[in-house]
Amino acid sequence: MMGPAHSLSGAAAWLGVGAAAAAAGHTMPWPVLVVGALICAGAALAPDLDHKAATISRAFGPISKALCEITDKLSYAVYKATKSTADPRRTGGHRTLTHTWFFAVLMGAGCSFAAVAGGRWGVLAILFVHLVLAVEGLLWRAARVSSDVLVWLLGATSAWILAGVLAKPGNGADWLFDAPGQEYMWLGLPIVLGALVHDIGDALTVSGCPVLWPLPIGGKRWYPLGPPKFMRFRAGSWVEIKVLMPAFMILGGVGGAAALNFI
C-alpha cells in the first residue's frame, strides 16, 4: 500500500486497541490514546525505509535518504545471506528485512529502551520522529506542498506539547508499566503495531510480504505471505483509495469513540 493508507491503518489499529482496552475495563487515558494513534500512524511508514521513493525516505531530507541507502543495502545483504534455493534472486532489499516481525519488534524494543533510558529527551526524540511521519502520512496533501522545515517545526512543537501533557499525573506516562523507572516503556507498543500493520497491508498487495521470516514456508525463508492472488490488489489502486482508506477512517472513528467510552 501507499503511505497515506499505511498511516491511516496504523492510527485505526491503535484506536482499535484503545477500544479493546476500554471493553476490558482498562480504559486508556486520552493522551495515551492520542499519542499512541499518532505514533502508530508514523511507525506504519517505517518498514519502507528500504525504498528510496517512499515517504519516510524523504521525510528528514539528506539524513533519511542516507539511512534509506544503508537500510536497502543491509536488507539486501541479509536476504542474500539467508535465502533458500527456492527464494528468487533480487537486485535490492525492498520488502525484505524491514517487512518482517523481527524488524517490528526490534524497533519497538529499541524505542522502549530509548524512552526509559533517555528520559524526557528520549521521549521527545521518539515523538518528534513519529509525529513528522504521521504528518507526512495523514496530511500528505498539505505536507507535499509545504516545506520540510514547516513539517519539522510542526512535529517538534507537537512533540513538546504532547510530552508535557503525558508527564502530568494520571495522563498516562506510566500506563501499562507502572514500576519505578518504567515510565514511557509503553511507547514501543504502537511502534511494533504500526510496523506490523504495514506488513499486513503490503501482504494484501500483488507482491505479498515476508512478514514471518525466517520461518520456512513452502521451502522459502522469504515467503511472500498474502491472501489468494485473486483477492490481492496493486498498491495505489482504486481498492486502496476508494475502499480501504475510507474503511480505515470509519473504523478509526468508531474505535476512538469506543476507547473514550462514548459508545
Side-chain angles (χ1 to χ4, degrees), residues 19-39:
H26 299 285
T27 302
M28 288 180 183
W30 71 263
V32 173
L33 185 70
V34 172
V35 171
L38 291 172
I39 289 177

Side-chain angles (χ1 to χ4, degrees), residues 7 41-43 45-46 56 59-60 128-138:
S7 284
L45 299 179
I56 187 174
F60 299 97
F128 170 70
V129 169
H130 288 90
L131 288 173
V132 168
L133 293 177
V135 170
E136 292 280 1
L138 297 175

Side-chain angles (χ1 to χ4, degrees), residues 67-200:
L67 190 56
C68 167
E69 293 287 344
I70 295 170
T71 303
D72 179 48
K73 287 180 172 58
L74 175 62
S75 298
Y76 181 50
V78 172
Y79 179 84
K80 288 198 302 181
T82 62
K83 76 182 188 72
S84 70
T85 55
D87 287 307
R89 297 182 63 182
R90 300 179 61 94
T91 57
H94 182 49
R95 285 206 186 183
T96 55
L97 183 62
T98 61
H99 287 69
T100 65
W101 68 271
F102 175 80
F103 175 81
V105 172
L106 182 65
M107 292 297 295
C111 286
S112 286
F113 175 79
V116 172
R120 178 174 174 79
W121 290 107
V123 172
L124 283 170
I126 293 167
L127 289 176
F128 170 70
V129 169
H130 288 90
L131 288 173
V132 168
L133 293 177
V135 170
E136 292 280 1
L138 297 175
L139 303 177
W140 73 95
R141 293 186 187 278
R144 287 178 183 175
V145 298
S146 300
S147 71
D148 289 340
V149 174
L150 288 177
V151 175
W152 299 341
L153 285 174
L154 178 58
T157 303
S158 301
W160 187 270
I161 293 172
L162 291 173
V165 172
L166 281 174
K168 293 180 179 179
N171 276 4
D174 59 351
W175 178 73
L176 199 60
F177 301 101
D178 56 5
Q182 293 184 356
E183 294 85 0
Y184 301 107
M185 187 178 288
W186 63 270
L187 286 176
L189 298 179
I191 293 170
V192 174
L193 180 60
L196 289 177
V197 168
H198 177 113
D199 296 342
I200 293 170

